[in-house]
Structures are given as C-alpha cells and as structure tokens.
Amino acid sequence: FVGEAVCLYAAAEEKIVLVCSADGDRKKELRTALAALLPKYMLPHKYIFLDRLPHNRNGKLDRAALRAEYAGS
C-alpha cells in the first residue's frame, strides 16, 4: 500500500518524520508493520501521507524540498 517513502530527521525537534505516498491515511497499519521490524528508537514520530512525492530533474526523490517543507530545515 506504500508507493514511495523517505525518512527525514527534524533536528530542531529531534524527531524522525516519515513522508510517503500511500493509499489513504494508514498510519496505524504502517506503524504496526514498522514496529515489528524496527527498534522503538527508530520508529518515526510523525507520518505524512501525500498523493505523490516530489522528484528532482534526475528522477530521484527531492529530499531537499521535502526537508524544507516537513522537517523544518
């Protein structure tokens, strides 16, 4: 159900932010799946769902745009 995803670190808040393209807001399902795979300290603190993630001219995820918009950098 998740198309693309990226985790960012919001240094000012000391939080992990997960930004992903998915079918609707399925935070509970995603958190449960991640909790089964990751230690607690690696779980995202904030989940953001978008229809599609921005890409740069090379076709890669535009992390700079995402960081500026959602991780406060």
Side-chain angles (χ1 to χ4, degrees):
F1 66 95
V2 172
E4 295 180 303
V6 63
C7 279
L8 306 168
Y9 182 69
E13 302 170 14
E14 295 185 357
K15 307 260 183 203
I16 299 171
V17 178
L18 172 73
V19 183
C20 67
S21 61
D23 301 333
D25 186 353
R26 302 171 88 172
K27 178 181 173 182
K28 186 174 180 178
E29 292 175 54
L30 186 55
R31 182 167 173 75
T32 302
L34 290 175
L37 299 170
L38 299 172
K40 187 175 180 178
Y41 72 92
M42 292 179 79
L43 291 175
H45 297 93
K46 187 175 181 182
Y47 295 78
I48 299 170
F49 294 92
L50 304 175
D51 291 332
R52 58 187 297 242
L53 300 182
H55 291 81
N56 62 22
R57 292 186 305 197
N58 295 326
K60 296 180 181 180
L61 286 176
D62 192 345
R63 291 174 182 264
L66 289 168
R67 190 172 289 112
E69 182 74 26
Y70 301 108
S73 108

